[in-house]
Structures are given as C-alpha cells and as structure tokens.
Amino acid sequence: MKHILNIKTAGAELNTAEKALIMIHGRGSNSEDIIGISQYLNLDGFAILAPQATNNTWYPHSFMAPVDANEPWLSSALENIGETVLVAIDAGIKSENIYFFGFSQGACLLLEYISRNAQKYGGAAAIIGGLIGEDINSSNYKGDFQETPVFIGTSDPDFHVPIERVYATEKMLKEMNAEVTLKVYENFGHSINQEEIDWMNKLIFKK
C-alpha cells in the first residue's frame, strides 16, 4: 500500500509564515485529532501541516517488528513525511524553522524520519515513541542534528513502546548531536500529560 499525500493545514498561512510545524498522528487517529493538540502549544506565527495516513495507519504492525514486515507501508509513510517537509521548504521556510510533533505511531515515524534525514531543524517533540525496527540499525541514520532540540516523553511501562527502546533512541539521537531531553513518567499510561506540554513549550516551542 502507498499512502496518498493528504495534508490538513491550520495556523498561519504557509506562504507568509516563518515557521512550520509538521504534526504526525498515531494509529487509528487522524490529522484533525493531532491538530487539536496545537491549541496547547506556543505556535503563534506557525503554519501547521498534518499529513493524513491512508486508512488512518502509517504501518500495520508494531514499530518493533522486523522492518520488512511493515513494508511497503513504512517506506511510503517516510516518503509522505518527506513530501510534507518539501511543501514547507517550497513555501520558503528553511529547515531550521521546521518543527515536528508526533504521538505514538506518529512519534515513532517522526523519530525515524528525522534520524534518517538529520540536519538542523527547529525542534522535535515525540510523545511515546522510538526508532523503528526489531533492532536499531545505525547504518540507516546519517547526518548531524547540529544541536536541534528534541523532547521525548513516555510512560514506564507502556504497552506499545518498551522503555529500553526509548533509552536506545535517546542514545542514538545524542550521538548524532541532538540536544535530547527525555522525561519518563511511571505508570502514566498511553497519553499526553500537562507536564509534557509544559516541557515542549519550554524547550521546543519557545515564545
């Protein structure tokens, strides 16, 4: 299956905005739901781009399944995010002014995309996610984040994302020169809490 590029927009007009936020929804959700979170973030002047997964799912199996098991959906999903980034760049927004937010499956896809395409971004916030694959294949990840701030928030335990994979993801991003802040909440569950919102606004979406 190949995802059809379908981007929902919100916030400032893309052609006049100086910054863009790409918001990536989770499994079974949609672009409108993830845009709903934007009301809690400091996004004055941001254009918001939220790509929609075909059939509301970016890839069919666990993010920790062998990569081949999630193909061709995974490659198409990564291409979809890349095309969304190009929409922002074509509108005149520089990569250092492009930001990312993702939840659950969307957080995994976000982390995988930026790590395969590491450069200076505005920042990224991933809530309950990790790099994709049965094992982390470091040969997939190239580039230098140039101290891009990355916030990762997660619950321990989480029934989808083992904490060990979150720690391994943090390590990989730091090795690629990202400024990673990880916050782990014991037994919080598979959701977003107010403290994570506060950290994102403090570290990533600064006024």
Side-chain angles (χ1 to χ4, degrees), residues 148-177:
T148 295
V150 178
F151 175 78
I152 302 174
T154 197
S155 175
D156 181 24
D158 180 83
F159 52 88
H160 291 300
V161 181
I163 192 65
E164 292 79 13
R165 176 56 59 93
V166 179
Y167 288 136
T169 299
E170 176 193 27
K171 181 175 183 290
M172 177 61 67
L173 267 65
K174 285 184 172 179
E175 289 174 358
M176 299 174 71
N177 199 23

Side-chain angles (χ1 to χ4, degrees), residues 44-183:
D44 289 346
F46 277 74
I48 298 171
L49 304 173
Q52 171 67 49
T54 302
N55 297 330
N56 302 95
T57 299
W58 292 110
Y59 43 87
H61 304 297
S62 165
F63 84 109
M64 292 189 68
V67 169
D68 287 349
N70 276 317
E71 294 293 7
W73 300 273
L74 176 58
S75 289
S76 179
L78 290 166
E79 181 181 335
N80 202 272
I81 303 308
E83 290 172 346
T84 305
V85 170
L86 284 177
V87 168
I89 290 174
D90 288 346
I93 296 176
K94 298 178 180 179
S95 61
E96 58 262 36
N97 288 323
I98 295 176
Y99 295 70
F100 299 85
F101 172 83
F103 175 72
S104 191
Q105 191 184 61
C108 296
L109 187 59
L110 177 167
L111 292 163
E112 188 72 15
Y113 175 82
I114 64 171
S115 297
R116 291 185 181 217
N117 300 276
Q119 56 183 304
K120 179 67 173 177
Y121 295 112
I127 306 300
I128 308 183
L131 290 171
I132 295 173
E134 187 173 21
D135 299 299
I136 291 179
N137 182 358
S138 59
S139 65
N140 286 334
Y141 311 121
K142 299 177 177 66
D144 184 340
F145 280 114
Q146 301 175 53
E147 301 181 345
T148 295
V150 178
F151 175 78
I152 302 174
T154 197
S155 175
D156 181 24
D158 180 83
F159 52 88
H160 291 300
V161 181
I163 192 65
E164 292 79 13
R165 176 56 59 93
V166 179
Y167 288 136
T169 299
E170 176 193 27
K171 181 175 183 290
M172 177 61 67
L173 267 65
K174 285 184 172 179
E175 289 174 358
M176 299 174 71
N177 199 23
E179 290 287 339
V180 183
T181 300
L182 171 62
K183 295 294 178 181

